[in-house]
Amino acid sequence: MPKSEVTASLDQVRETVTGVIADIRERGDDAVRAYSEKFDKWTPESFRLSDEEVEKIIASVPQQVIDDIRFVQDQVRTFARHQLDSLREFEVETLPGVRLGQKHIPVQAAGAYIPGGRYPLTASAHMTIVTAKVAGVPRVVACTPPIHGEIPAATVAAMHLAGADEIWLLGGVQAVAAMAVGTDTMRPVNLVAGPGNAYVAEAKRQLFGEIGIDLFAGPTEILVLADERADPFVCAVDLLSQAEHGPDSPAVLITTSRELAEQTVAEVERLLPGMPTRDFAGPAWRDHGQVHVVDTLDELYALADEFAFEHVEVLTAEPRLALERMSQYGALFLGEGTCVSFGDKVIGTNHVLPTRGAARYTGGLWVGKYLKTVTYQEVTDTDSQALLGRLCGRAARVELFEGHARSGDVRAARAAGDELPWNTA
């Protein structure tokens, strides 16, 4: 797409999202209902599902699907709990009677957006809701759109089993805006997480600051790193596995073998026509697919870090070398036995990951995103109060903050009898 068309498209997305958010701020539920009718042809009496409705919907889901959802959520829950265990609260005495501490407090309400446009992304319920609940978030509001006027039963089941406190059949900008600003029927949340289309991503961008968000998400990306030992068939299958997310999803191969590069391209061209999702995967490979041949593994890892992609699959003789050589990626998938699709669907790590180069400054969604790391301090020793009070007075006056200085002076005066020449009373 020419740059001018891309810019025009982005401008249209921004303008549309700005208008929807403003309207929902003004008209609340009436606006939400109007946009749900406009975009999803969906206007039930209540967008929020009752407990009875949830139970009825879950009863329609095959038992094997329910069992699989439970298994995958157990994997996500286990990994999130290990993440939580890695976070340490502490209190340390730095001077006599000076205690400094750190606590982790969960946000009090989180919104989980589970997409349902091209595909019902059931797994996104695991990633956003289970992780929030492990963090201790007391209220999780989960939204997902209807699909062609139908209730996505498996997604509703996943939302419920993950621990959602409220389940709403509501999609798009109207869902994100309602969760963020609140309406008469939906209390606002403090943070919104979850993937979505360009409109959902733009809504999160515009609302960031008023609420927290997980990260800015763009089209799904896959980078396959391969040496001459890799199987071109596996490379091709895995590249296409992510290309099917959408026509703008980049799929890139970097290899030290020209022969493997050529064979992989041939395999992609052979497999693509038979893919049920070729209408998405085909344009993605045509417009955003890349193949790079380099001379050495050092060049391979250096180029991979320049891409800073969301998913990096390492199909080399020693895949764990990537842990030492790379620093810019959303998630690594090491060895032929580990595909990106495992991370997307079943293995337990979070699939909400940075795209569009954001891996240069952030990782993906994790239990810590739902926690506020806060500090506290206490000074009970009079000698320390005097020491810090005098120091505060001097340091603040260097910066011309007389009010700060006087606050320190008072502590020194109370603790050690220091004079307060500025207090003429």
Side-chain angles (χ1 to χ4, degrees), residues 119 240-241 243-246 272-283:
Y119 311 108
L240 290 174
S241 74
E244 75 175 353
H245 272 276
L272 190 51
M275 285 188 69
T277 51
R278 60 185 174 274
D279 288 348
F280 299 139

Side-chain angles (χ1 to χ4, degrees), residues 280-299:
F280 299 139
W285 177 250
R286 180 193 67 218
D287 298 335
H288 302 282
Q290 298 181 39
V291 177
H292 297 265
V293 179
V294 297
D295 293 328
T296 67
L297 283 176
D298 287 341
E299 292 179 49

Side-chain angles (χ1 to χ4, degrees), residues 255-384:
T255 178
T256 55
S257 168
R258 178 169 294 277
E259 182 180 4
L260 178 115
E262 293 171 348
Q263 291 175 347
T264 298
V265 171
E267 287 291 335
V268 168
E269 299 301 334
R270 181 179 69 84
L271 293 167
L272 190 51
M275 285 188 69
T277 51
R278 60 185 174 274
D279 288 348
F280 299 139
W285 177 250
R286 180 193 67 218
D287 298 335
H288 302 282
Q290 298 181 39
V291 177
H292 297 265
V293 179
V294 297
D295 293 328
T296 67
L297 283 176
D298 287 341
E299 292 179 49
L300 177 142
Y301 289 126
L303 182 56
D305 259 356
E306 289 183 24
F307 275 96
F309 259 21
E310 175 187 21
H311 305 109
V312 179
E313 191 170 288
V314 187
L315 304 179
T316 61
E318 297 181 80
R320 292 183 69 87
L321 277 177
L323 292 169
E324 303 171 14
R325 303 287 186 87
M326 292 188 63
S327 60
Q328 298 187 156
Y329 54 85
L332 286 180
F333 301 82
L334 303 175
E336 187 178 294
T338 318
C339 59
V340 171
S341 296
F342 281 0
D344 281 347
K345 306 299 180 186
V346 297
I347 207 167
T349 49
N350 208 293
H351 79 192
V352 182
L353 297 167
T355 61
R356 291 180 171 167
R360 294 183 176 91
Y361 62 83
T362 187
L365 180 60
W366 70 299
V367 71
K369 179 60 70 172
Y370 295 98
L371 298 171
K372 300 173 292 180
T373 300
V374 298
T375 60
Y376 61 91
Q377 38 273 306
E378 180 183 37
V379 185
T380 57
D381 180 86
T382 54
D383 288 342
S384 292

